[in-house]
Amino acid sequence: MKAGIHTFFALFFILIGYIPSPGYCSPTDTVKPRNIILFIGDGMGVAHIYAAYTKNKGFLHMMKCPYTGFIKTHSASHYITDSGAGSTAFSCGKKANNYTLGIDKDSITCKTILEYAEENGLSTGLISTSAITHATPAAFIAHHESRLQYESIAADFLNTDVDVLIGGGGQHFANRADGADLIAQLQNKGYEVILYPSSYDIDSSEKVVVFTAPLHNPRFSDGRGNMLPEATEKAISILNRNETGFFLMIEGSQIDWGGHNNDIEYVVEELIDMDNAVGKALDFAEKEGNTLVIITADHETGGLVVKDGNMTTGTIDIEFTSVNHTGVMVPVFAFGPGAAEFSGVYENTAVFDKMMNLLNLTNSCVSLTQSE
Ligand code: MG
Ligand code: ZN
């Protein structure tokens, strides 16, 4: 009789094509993406998104995403995270101490998803509207106790065979206090290095570094223009040459700075700019069908409240309640194969776990040689 029941269930599972999942992190029934594009809107809370949506008269590309969730953003050391710990949660899957990059709370170096991806034959890229050495992009490639050691952080960019880097921060490579010429070192490693181009219509051999400014790029309305959407489109076309797949992180860095300044125009123009880059990524993902696009934030900045608005005229009445980061959950939007995994409420570190699993990368924190 018992054998009969087992046979029945075995036949039942075979017939419906279902194998019971051994655990939460093994979605055996999920179609996995070849590529992942992760957008981080620094400081982008729900109110920022809705303010931009209203100012834009009821349209944002990111709202096309069929799956949404919320992440809890506290760091290992603080209820309110900074961008170093916030980005390390995404890059390493570890709750880290504020102001650190790519190390866990015990100062153990964590291998980042970008490093795992490179080791497994995927192409990788980082794009930001800040210096590329600033906390959010740097946490994907550097391992440091302090996010402020910019020249030391820049040297870490030589340790990983990242394929595409586009952002500010050229002075941390070219005009360093220690006199080292990291531009020459990048070129010796086979990179094409482009300094301060007037257009982002780049096409390159496989590995390319584009420094868009000596330090940070200007804000969108102060001369940066469409750098982010154009760089996004170009990076995708370069990285997509690798049939194994790619991992690309794109940061809307200055949404946070608008929040700190309590400047709603700054917040909105930076958010719409990042959303235009999201539009480029979603167009690609829709066309190719093998790319997961995730849009999230490391924390909220400014305690923004939308008190009133008009979707027809695009006017809003807002109030900032803080000049710092706040502790509220921030949203996650997802589109493409594996997007359903991002529904629900979870820790920011789970974004790493889900991405690693979906890219079939080994998910473990391995001790590396500690950086100086
Ligand atoms: Mg940032
Ligand atoms: Zn900030």
Side-chain angles (χ1 to χ4, degrees), residues 142-160:
H143 306 279
H144 280 275
E145 291 283 353
S146 168
R147 54 179 282 182
L148 300 177
Q149 298 168 320
Y150 291 114
E151 294 198 353
S152 181
I153 288 164
D156 275 11
F157 280 72
L158 273 301
N159 295 336
T160 303

Side-chain angles (χ1 to χ4, degrees), residues 7-304:
T7 309
F8 169 77
F9 277 111
L11 279 170
F12 177 72
F13 286 133
I14 288 165
L15 282 171
I16 65 169
Y18 172 79
I19 301 161
S21 170
Y24 176 70
C25 263
S26 302
T28 49
D29 51 350
T30 300
V31 177
K32 294 191 171 184
R34 188 177 87 169
N35 315 311
I36 291 184
I37 303 173
L38 172 67
F39 283 91
I40 302 176
D42 198 316
M44 183 179 75
V46 170
H48 304 64
I49 294 168
Y50 209 68
Y53 178 75
T54 307
K55 277 273 199 177
N56 212 22
K57 300 182 179 175
F59 178 80
L60 285 178
H61 294 284
M62 66 179 76
M63 290 200 185
K64 286 184 203 160
C65 293
Y67 294 97
T68 51
F70 279 99
I71 50 172
K72 294 178 270 183
T73 66
H74 71 89
S75 71
S77 60
H78 291 75
Y79 182 79
I80 307 288
T81 190
D82 86 310
S83 293
S87 189
T88 300
F90 298 141
S91 69
C92 274
K94 296 286 172 187
K95 290 284 187 183
N97 297 328
N98 280 12
Y99 317 117
T100 66
L101 300 178
I103 60 175
D104 73 8
K105 64 181 181 7
D106 301 315
S107 298
I108 305 294
T109 295
C110 288
K111 200 182 283 191
T112 71
I113 188 168
L114 185 145
E115 291 166 329
Y116 279 112
E118 277 294 331
E119 281 182 12
N120 283 272
L122 280 75
S123 290
T124 60
L126 297 173
I127 307 175
S128 69
T129 54
S130 65
I132 202 79
T133 43
H134 207 242
T136 310
F140 282 81
I141 209 163
H143 306 279
H144 280 275
E145 291 283 353
S146 168
R147 54 179 282 182
L148 300 177
Q149 298 168 320
Y150 291 114
E151 294 198 353
S152 181
I153 288 164
D156 275 11
F157 280 72
L158 273 301
N159 295 336
T160 303
D161 284 326
V162 60
D163 297 274
V164 177
L165 291 175
I166 307 174
Q171 73 183 41
H172 299 137
F173 293 78
N175 303 307
R176 295 163 56 89
D178 65 3
D181 184 355
L182 298 196
I183 303 280
Q185 290 183 32
L186 284 167
Q187 287 165 335
N188 288 341
K189 280 196 75 180
Y191 287 94
E192 180 179 356
V193 181
I194 303 170
L195 271 177
Y196 317 136
S198 53
S199 110
Y200 303 100
D201 191 23
I202 48 161
D203 188 18
S204 183
S205 53
E206 291 202 352
K207 298 204 296 182
V208 62
V209 180
V210 184
F211 290 113
T212 52
L215 189 56
H216 304 304
N217 294 285
R219 66 187 267 183
F220 173 83
S221 62
D222 213 8
R224 191 178 79 240
N226 290 322
M227 171 245 165
L228 194 65
E230 287 177 23
T232 297
E233 203 171 15
K234 291 296 171 181
I236 289 171
S237 73
I238 293 170
L239 295 171
N240 194 41
R241 293 175 193 156
N242 184 343
E243 289 183 1
T244 306
F246 68 80
F247 172 79
L248 172 62
M249 192 289 294
I250 300 159
E251 187 199 17
S253 318
Q254 300 190 29
I255 300 165
D256 177 64
W257 304 351
H260 284 293
N261 288 357
N262 283 188
D263 180 342
I264 191 63
E265 295 296 333
Y266 195 178
V267 165
V268 165
E269 74 186 40
E270 293 294 332
L271 200 151
I272 290 174
D273 175 58
M274 189 183 84
D275 188 64
N276 286 332
V278 167
K280 302 288 185 193
L282 290 176
D283 285 350
F284 172 79
E286 208 160 19
K287 186 162 64 81
E288 301 286 323
N290 59 6
T291 302
L292 170 65
V293 180
I294 305 159
I295 303 115
T296 188
D298 50 356
H299 52 74
E300 196 269 3
T301 305
L304 182 63

